[in-house]
Amino acid sequence: MSFEYLIDPAEGPQWKGVLPGRPQPYVLERGEGEHSMLFTDLFTVLLSGDETEGQFGVVVSESPAGDVIPTHSHNRTHETFYVIEGRVRLFFQDTEGQKQSRLLTPGDFGFVPAGFAHAYQIVEDARMMGTLSGGFERFFQHMGAETDHATAQQPPFVPAVPRMQAAAQRHDMQFLPDHRWDDAHGA
Amino acid sequence: MSFEYLIDPAEGPQWKGVLPGRPQPYVLERGEGEHSMLFTDLFTVLLSGDETEGQFGVVVSESPAGDVIPTHSHNRTHETFYVIEGRVRLFFQDTEGQKQSRLLTPGDFGFVPAGFAHAYQIVEDARMMGTLSGGFERFFQHMGAETDHATAQQPPFVPAVPRMQAAAQRHDMQFLPDHRWDDAHGA
């Protein structure tokens, strides 16, 4: 774990305790939540499985345009992709095993359930919201680095391979480096 | 059930089948989904418990400014309120039983878990996204009226009291008409 993104590493992140950790009402203003950097992207947890009896968590992300993220699948968790701003190309394997790709613009929504290979590419600087099966929302902290700064305008965090492997194992996720999307069909 | 919002009532809603009904990947463009009108608001289901093994559903709403909606609580289901556009005042009872209110603007997020009285008022024409415990996302269809038109710019649907009661009972929800928010504290 790198602490370079924390103002006071001994204290931990300033956002600690911003989520109640149990089912009770609360409000977060834009920019509040549990922040972490993963590569060039800021992920902010707004709600975790701790508040929903393990049902679901909610994450918003802020991402600059870039390359396709590593293709992966997760065996036990479902994930949504809702574009608030920008443009995002979602790649996913369909039920026939065919490779699909769809360009999502603001208001568009994608769903990838447990067990399906997927990836995405930020085509134009984007903000997204995702709902995930409870517990999986903290994957981004486990693979990324906690940060006090609520912006993607900070140095990228590139995890070392053992850190990536540990986070993937913890969340029952497989990276699929041999999976190419060159022949994906889509709009 | 009124069918006045359906182009061909015998066929049912045109959006029938737009959600797969089981865990498989899909994409919806803005304006696609299962639409229903409830009072002056359009609710669109983007994801249901059928696709998430009952974990969660996702709804977007489009609402003109108006009065405070009827105060209620639901005993078994959690609910989020994320403002995409506009301004929404969220009213909720906190863990000490105190009445709170917070004005949410774009990017702000509210969470109300099972068992807490709440309501909201659209202060300025708004679009919101909500994640709900699986199954509860279809409450808006059960109390409202299915429609083929993906806009709130259509006649309001005012449910008869027996329909409201049936939907509330089905989703283990209580309306709390004696609960006033006049003395709510908040920003």
Side-chain angles (χ1 to χ4, degrees):
Chain A
M1 179 83 204
S2 163
F3 290 111
E4 61 198 292
Y5 301 99
L6 301 181
I7 290 167
D8 183 352
E11 289 291 316
Q14 292 181 303
W15 46 252
K16 220 170 170 176
V18 72
L19 303 189
R22 57 186 181 282
Q24 69 178 55
Y26 65 95
V27 165
L28 297 176
E29 292 180 18
R30 181 173 172 173
E32 293 182 325
E34 298 185 352
H35 306 295
S36 58
M37 282 295 288
L38 179 54
F39 299 104
T40 56
D41 300 3
L42 179 79
F43 291 90
T44 301
V45 175
L46 303 184
L47 178 74
S48 81
D50 297 335
E51 288 82 36
T52 63
E53 303 172 287
Q55 292 170 6
F56 58 89
V58 173
V59 173
V60 287
S61 59
E62 186 187 318
S63 312
D67 291 335
V68 182
I69 68 160
T71 299
H72 60 281
S73 70
H74 17 94
N75 288 336
R76 291 180 292 109
T77 46
H78 309 305
E79 186 173 11
T80 72
F81 302 86
Y82 180 78
V83 175
I84 302 166
E85 283 175 21
R87 293 193 302 154
V88 180
R89 184 168 288 280
L90 182 66
F91 300 89
F92 57 94
Q93 204 155 15
D94 68 18
T95 49
E96 278 79 47
Q98 297 297 308
K99 294 170 181 178
Q100 303 289 344
S101 97
R102 291 287 295 273
L103 183 66
L104 306 186
T105 60
D108 293 350
F109 174 85
F111 176 62
V112 179
F116 286 86
H118 62 285
Y120 60 81
Q121 178 174 23
I122 305 296
V123 175
E124 182 187 300
D125 294 6
R127 284 200 307 134
M128 282 197 285
M129 163 162 277
T131 302
L132 308 95
S133 298
F136 188 49
E137 69 283 344
R138 291 209 168 100
F139 165 78
F140 308 99
Q141 293 165 16
H142 297 151
M143 193 161 117
E146 295 174 339
T147 176
D148 287 329
H149 311 295
T151 172
Q153 307 301 312
Q154 55 182 310
F157 176 79
V158 180
V161 169
R163 182 173 181 82
M164 290 182 68
Q165 288 172 330
Q169 193 168 15
R170 181 168 180 173
H171 290 279
D172 202 358
M173 173 201 266
Q174 290 77 44
F175 288 104
L176 305 165
D178 297 332
H179 196 106
R180 306 271 164 214
W181 299 101
D182 310 336
D183 54 342
H185 301 280
Chain B
M1 178 86 203
S2 163
F3 291 109
E4 60 199 291
Y5 301 99
L6 300 182
I7 291 166
D8 182 352
E11 289 293 313
Q14 292 181 302
W15 46 253
K16 218 169 170 177
V18 71
L19 304 189
R22 57 187 180 280
Q24 70 179 56
Y26 66 96
V27 164
L28 297 176
E29 291 181 21
R30 182 173 172 173
E32 292 182 325
E34 298 185 352
H35 307 294
S36 58
M37 282 295 289
L38 179 54
F39 299 104
T40 57
D41 300 3
L42 179 79
F43 292 90
T44 301
V45 175
L46 303 184
L47 178 75
S48 81
D50 297 334
E51 287 83 35
T52 63
E53 302 172 288
Q55 293 171 6
F56 57 88
V58 173
V59 173
V60 287
S61 58
E62 187 188 318
S63 313
D67 292 334
V68 182
I69 68 160
T71 298
H72 60 281
S73 70
H74 17 95
N75 288 336
R76 293 179 292 109
T77 45
H78 309 305
E79 186 173 11
T80 73
F81 303 86
Y82 179 79
V83 175
I84 302 166
E85 284 177 20
R87 293 193 302 154
V88 180
R89 183 166 289 280
L90 181 65
F91 300 90
F92 58 93
Q93 202 154 16
D94 67 19
T95 49
E96 278 78 48
Q98 297 295 309
K99 293 169 181 178
Q100 303 288 345
S101 97
R102 292 286 296 273
L103 184 65
L104 306 187
T105 59
D108 294 350
F109 174 84
F111 175 62
V112 179
F116 287 86
H118 62 283
Y120 61 80
Q121 178 174 24
I122 306 296
V123 174
E124 183 186 299
D125 293 6
R127 283 200 307 134
M128 284 197 285
M129 164 164 275
T131 303
L132 307 96
S133 298
F136 188 49
E137 69 283 345
R138 292 211 166 99
F139 165 77
F140 307 99
Q141 293 166 15
H142 298 151
M143 194 161 115
E146 295 174 340
T147 176
D148 288 329
H149 311 294
T151 172
Q153 308 299 315
Q154 55 181 309
F157 176 79
V158 180
V161 170
R163 183 173 180 81
M164 291 181 67
Q165 288 172 331
Q169 190 167 17
R170 181 169 180 174
H171 291 280
D172 203 358
M173 172 201 264
Q174 290 76 43
F175 287 104
L176 304 164
D178 298 332
H179 197 104
R180 305 271 164 212
W181 299 101
D182 309 336
D183 54 342
H185 301 281

